[in-house]
Amino acid sequence: MSSDAHLGGDMPDPLATVPTECYEILRHPRRLRLLEVLGCRQTRLSLSELTTELIDRTSTTASNGRARHEVRITLVHNHLPRLEEYDIVDWDDDGVALVDEPPVHPADLSVLLDLCDSENAETLLETLVDPVRMRLLSLLEAGDSPVSLECLAAELSARDSGPFDDTERAKIALHHSHLPAMADLGVVSYDAESQRVTRYEQVVSIVQ
């Protein structure tokens, strides 16, 4: 293999249509399932109906009454207020529905919904739902492996007009933050000494 593997550039960012300011709100599996339900039903649902739908889509060992109570509490005190804060849902005494033009459309979240089926879904979402890390997964899937840190940093800086528009800053952030976090999750292997990144097969299921 050559000293630096080819890095493809045609693989789209799986969350390209999602505003980066909304990534934070998408790091919880129940919140994603909630959006999936509202997107599929396309009507206003009562809190009771929404609770039932979420339980039906989630495998649980809890008793039905206990599960309903737990889901309802998290909806009322966590997920619905957060989604309303981001102008994604409309929530009142008559029920819950997506707003007419939400900044996040459930149809654009298929990649994240696939992650919800994993045993460690919360950890995966918390770690990977990040503009830089999702882009890294796309780059690794589009190219050969292993890839050098230099190559990844250059590719990111070529596409970024923000903090990653400088290759050296990109290298530092990748080396000290993003790649170690992704390696700890088992999505990539990062050799800090040789500064080379190898993708694992999980990357395929995450970005396709």
Side-chain angles (χ1 to χ4, degrees), residues 22-36 38 50 54 74-91 96-99 102-104 106 109:
C22 292
Y23 275 49
E24 187 272 337
I25 202 69
L26 303 176
R27 292 180 180 142
H28 195 287
R30 181 164 293 163
R31 211 169 285 155
L32 292 168
R33 290 298 187 199
L34 189 164
L35 292 175
E36 180 187 31
L38 294 177
L50 184 56
L54 288 172
T74 61
L75 288 178
V76 171
H77 295 286
N78 182 351
H79 304 305
L80 291 175
R82 296 302 309 282
L83 290 168
E84 190 174 43
E85 177 186 346
Y86 278 75
D87 294 322
I88 297 173
V89 304
D90 176 57
W91 173 39
V96 184
L98 292 172
V99 300
V104 175
L109 303 178

Side-chain angles (χ1 to χ4, degrees), residues 14-74:
L15 295 182
T17 59
V18 176
T20 55
E21 61 268 21
C22 292
Y23 275 49
E24 187 272 337
I25 202 69
L26 303 176
R27 292 180 180 142
H28 195 287
R30 181 164 293 163
R31 211 169 285 155
L32 292 168
R33 290 298 187 199
L34 189 164
L35 292 175
E36 180 187 31
V37 168
L38 294 177
C40 290
R41 293 292 298 273
Q42 296 187 336
T43 187
R44 184 171 290 273
L45 298 177
S46 69
L47 190 57
S48 178
E49 290 171 326
L50 184 56
T51 299
T52 299
E53 289 269 7
L54 288 172
I55 291 174
D56 289 344
R57 291 169 186 258
T58 306
S59 60
T60 177
T61 57
S63 66
N64 191 52
R66 181 179 176 182
R68 290 190 65 84
H69 177 74
E70 190 271 335
V71 170
R72 186 183 180 95
I73 289 295
T74 61

Side-chain angles (χ1 to χ4, degrees), residues 1-7 146-152 196:
M1 179 174 291
S2 64
S3 60
D4 205 357
H6 171 70
L7 193 62
V147 179
S148 70
L149 175 64
E150 181 80 30
C151 185
L152 281 174
R196 300 188 75 78

Side-chain angles (χ1 to χ4, degrees), residues 106-183:
D108 298 330
L109 303 178
S110 60
V111 168
L112 302 187
L113 287 167
D114 287 343
L115 294 181
C116 290
D117 294 328
S118 304
E119 288 185 8
N120 58 338
E122 288 193 39
T123 302
L124 279 170
L125 291 167
E126 186 65 33
T127 303
L128 296 179
V129 181
D130 173 274
V132 173
R133 294 172 190 177
M134 294 304 294
R135 184 61 193 152
L136 282 173
L137 292 178
S138 298
L139 290 172
L140 289 168
E141 174 59 20
D144 300 324
S145 188
V147 179
S148 70
L149 175 64
E150 181 80 30
C151 185
L152 281 174
E155 186 71 21
L156 285 173
S157 63
R159 299 164 181 266
D160 197 301
S161 58
F164 270 34
D165 61 355
D166 178 81
T167 301
E168 285 304 312
R169 284 203 300 268
K171 284 177 62 177
I172 291 170
L174 291 178
H175 178 74
H176 291 287
S177 175
H178 299 291
L179 291 173
M182 294 168 72

